[in-house]
Amino acid sequence: MENSITLMVRDPFWVFAYWELVSETRKVFKGIPPVLKVKNLTEKSYCFIYTNEFADNWHIEVEKPGSTFEVELGYIVDGVFQTLAVSNKVTTPRNSVSNNFEEYYRIFRNDVFQVLKFLEKGITSPGSEYLKSEDD
Amino acid sequence: MEKGYVSLVLHAHLPYVRHPEHEFFLEEKWYYEAVTETYIPLIKVFDALIREDVDFRITMTLTPTLVSLMSDELIQKRYKHYLEKLIELSEKEVERTRLHQPEFHDTAKFYRSLFSEVYQIYTDYCKGNLVGVFKRFQDSGHLEIITSAATHGFLPHMVQVPEAVRAQIKVGIDSYIKHFGKRPRGFWLPECAYTSELDEFLKKEGISYYILETHGVLFADPKPKYATFAPILSPGGVAAFGRDIESSKQVWSATEGYPGDYEYREFYRDIGHDLDFDYIKPYIHPDGIRIQTGIKYYKITGKVDLKDKQPYNYKRAISKAEKHAGNFMFNREHQIRYASGGMDNPPIVLCPYDAELFGHWWFEGPKWLEFLFRKASKDQNTFKFITPSEYLDKYPKIQICSPNPSSWGNKGYFEVWLNKNNDWIYRHLHQAARKMVELTERFKDARGLQRDALNQAARELLLAQSSDWAFIMDSGTMVEYAVKRTKDHIYRFNKLYEDIVNNKIDENWLRNITYLDNIFPDIDYRVYQKKS
């Protein structure tokens, strides 16, 4: 067993974290609430959430659809955040229509793809991952 | 020449509710009711349409847990017994209503003949083998059967252990191949719950398409040019069809939709609750708890108390179903004429519903479906029915977009399966999944008893993962059952893990839980091998 934190997606505005702290860690930090460092990797910003001493999970309101998050679990001692575990990364769903109007098409042949570059609107993105995959 | 297509998809699913340890088990009744009210009525409709040469196409999920129930000998035997009791009750009702409630007498006679017919279809026509009958409809080209995750696990809440996702998908597909003799082209994502991590596994298993809630497609990126009137292709290479909003509401909504019509049968008023206790006692819960019997004499009537409901009239209800089928057809014609205007390919209107809505919740639903197919084949030529894979074969040029993570649950995302009522389960489910991967790594070529224990551990993990348990915990009814199922399977898994690791397998106990949780007899635990 080791200290760990797992992150899950609930909806465009909320994620959920649960964690395990080994008893030695709990003993060392007795009386101090675990802190979550919630990092928005899309915006490159973060904030801290003070949980409570006995918590082992938290519903986190991140308020950011379509953004990628990672959470560090730790304690703040003497004003310094000490990381004990880092979560997996998750991305919240979008909650609105995309404003990207690019059009790429493929011919779907039950497993065999023949790629069509479709430039109806004269938009092209040579670096697009979709187009790159045709070289595979 | 048709201007577009309608694709009806019925999602038939029940969790694995088989309880050999008890003579009577309330949750097994979910299955018996669904067979009587939904699956056999649908078989009856398909058979009649085929015999009369009516051109129709429909798609159904038969989930691996449902197929396992349908194929289980004990469940088959118990279902026959259940029907025999129901027929016995309906015979008593004919006599009782003749003397005491003449206003229900015709309906009582109707139930007697209905249940006898169901019995006859089940025993003579199906020979107890419902899966075989659905397979025949698929082989004749009228029905496309798709599969789902092994135990209807909620896949986006499983991606933390990718091997668990892969196993749910692979075991579901293997079960399909075993029962239907070929690979499925479509995959029903449990609860229509999608996240991009799933594509890799689905693609690898040769899946062509899945179905998403409307905003899974509408909010895709880039913006899909034709909204839900055309499939999109995920960057992972699987086609996604989006649920059409308009047709969904017409059928799905209990208030605005057809099923709420006042002439239709009232679901909640059942003689199991209404009749004298001593009379009804042999047909309810053996502990004397009043439950539904399936005999219901009232119509929805209006926005009135249950006690003020008026007698049901089957003929009037059926004529309503015919009108509603005509209305549905008319609306689809309009919708398709309108949508086809600016499109390269003819539009597809995809209408997914829970199969159990038809017959179980909406008693007249199967008749509605029959009317719809009959009318559409002779009264219009604006659209044709099609299955998603037929559409893909006909119109293979598809826009590439990343579908949006979503589900068809309340609020459209993952909250129903992750909130204060059920969030505690995921710690245990993820831990068990990681342990299962670890076991597979440590015991790559197990034999004999050890292999049996590993295979059973895989079954217990899969059974614990059914999305139904989290859903029920959130819904607030039958919560105890869902909690018990989760805890039982996790407990059994954890004990197996300890026993295997410590080389102390308790053979008698293992045989007993293998008898209790006998799903997927051919499972190979190595489906959990570590992902490279």
Side-chain angles (χ1 to χ4, degrees), chain A residues 18 59 94 98 104 108 120, chain B residues 221 225 396 400 404 423 430:
Chain A
Y18 70 81
H59 288 264
R94 291 180 292 278
S98 167
Y104 294 104
F108 185 86
E120 196 177 54
Chain B
D221 182 55
K225 190 175 179 189
I400 302 172
N404 194 37
D423 55 17
H430 292 163

Side-chain angles (χ1 to χ4, degrees), chain A residues 7-10 18-20 56 59 94-96 98 100 102-106 108 110 113 118 120 130, chain B residues 157 160 203 208 219-223 225 237 396-400 402 404-405 413-414 423 427 430:
Chain A
L7 200 54
M8 298 173 71
V9 175
R10 193 179 106 175
Y18 70 81
W19 56 89
E20 309 278 352
D56 63 3
H59 288 264
R94 291 180 292 278
N95 71 332
S96 57
S98 167
N100 173 2
E102 285 180 320
E103 286 177 33
Y104 294 104
Y105 290 80
R106 268 190 186 177
F108 185 86
N110 198 22
F113 291 104
F118 196 76
E120 196 177 54
Y130 308 148
Chain B
H157 289 343
Q160 288 75 6
K203 182 70 194 162
S208 298
F219 296 171
D221 182 55
K223 183 187 172 192
K225 190 175 179 189
K397 192 177 112 182
I398 311 178
Q399 190 181 359
I400 302 172
S402 303
N404 194 37
Y413 296 95
F414 308 151
D423 55 17
R427 174 190 308 271
H430 292 163

Side-chain angles (χ1 to χ4, degrees), chain B residues 201-433:
Chain B
F201 302 114
L202 294 164
K203 182 70 194 162
K204 206 164 181 190
E205 291 297 327
I207 292 296
S208 298
Y209 71 91
Y210 43 68
I211 288 149
L212 299 183
E213 178 53 289
T214 313
H215 58 280
V217 170
L218 282 190
F219 296 171
D221 182 55
K223 183 187 172 192
K225 190 175 179 189
Y226 301 119
T228 57
F229 290 119
I232 55 173
L233 190 64
S234 76
V238 187
F241 288 85
R243 164 150 89 154
D244 174 63
I245 282 191
E246 198 183 311
S247 54
S248 283
K249 269 197 190 157
Q250 278 183 322
V251 176
W252 195 244
S253 163
T255 47
E256 304 157 52
Y258 305 134
D261 189 277
Y262 295 164
E263 290 295 340
Y264 287 148
R265 193 180 81 165
E266 169 60 51
F267 177 81
Y268 291 98
R269 192 83 193 262
D270 186 289
I271 64 168
H273 297 290
D274 283 354
L275 295 185
D276 178 67
F277 184 74
D278 287 333
Y279 172 83
I280 205 70
K281 194 165 173 258
Y283 307 99
I284 55 172
H285 195 291
D287 296 344
I289 303 161
R290 284 183 179 271
I291 52 171
Q292 295 214 352
T293 62
I295 298 182
K296 301 159 204 264
Y297 291 133
Y298 294 89
K299 60 179 181 178
I300 294 173
T301 311
K303 288 182 178 127
V304 298
D305 282 351
L306 274 183
K307 65 176 175 27
D308 297 324
K309 302 278 174 181
Q310 298 298 309
Y312 175 69
N313 181 309
Y314 179 68
K315 277 196 183 131
R316 277 213 294 273
I318 289 306
S319 100
K320 255 304 163 54
E322 187 173 6
K323 274 190 198 138
H324 285 157
N327 177 267
F328 186 87
M329 183 181 86
F330 174 80
N331 286 323
R332 296 294 75 72
E333 286 177 82
H334 268 270
Q335 190 182 15
I336 283 165
R337 266 199 294 269
Y338 176 77
S340 62
M343 291 182 65
D344 297 343
N345 293 329
I348 180 169
V349 172
L350 190 116
C351 321
Y353 307 110
D354 263 337
E356 294 77 18
L357 171 72
F358 292 80
H360 178 63
W361 296 103
W362 177 19
F363 184 59
E364 299 79 4
K367 281 305 269 189
W368 175 88
L369 202 60
E370 185 176 348
F371 285 130
L372 176 63
F373 284 132
R374 284 182 193 281
K375 275 178 190 298
S377 73
K378 62 181 173 47
D379 296 348
Q380 60 87 39
N381 49 22
T382 307
F383 68 83
K384 274 194 155 186
F385 289 102
I386 201 166
T387 70
S389 53
E390 285 174 324
Y391 188 90
L392 288 176
D393 291 343
K394 259 184 143 110
Y395 305 106
K397 192 177 112 182
I398 311 178
Q399 190 181 359
I400 302 172
C401 307
S402 303
N404 194 37
S406 50
S407 85
W408 76 350
N410 187 25
K411 298 186 192 171
Y413 296 95
F414 308 151
E415 185 181 351
V416 170
W417 297 272
L418 180 61
N419 60 61
K420 300 274 184 203
N421 298 316
N422 52 28
D423 55 17
W424 60 272
I425 66 176
Y426 295 103
R427 174 190 308 271
H428 303 288
L429 295 176
H430 292 163
Q431 189 192 43

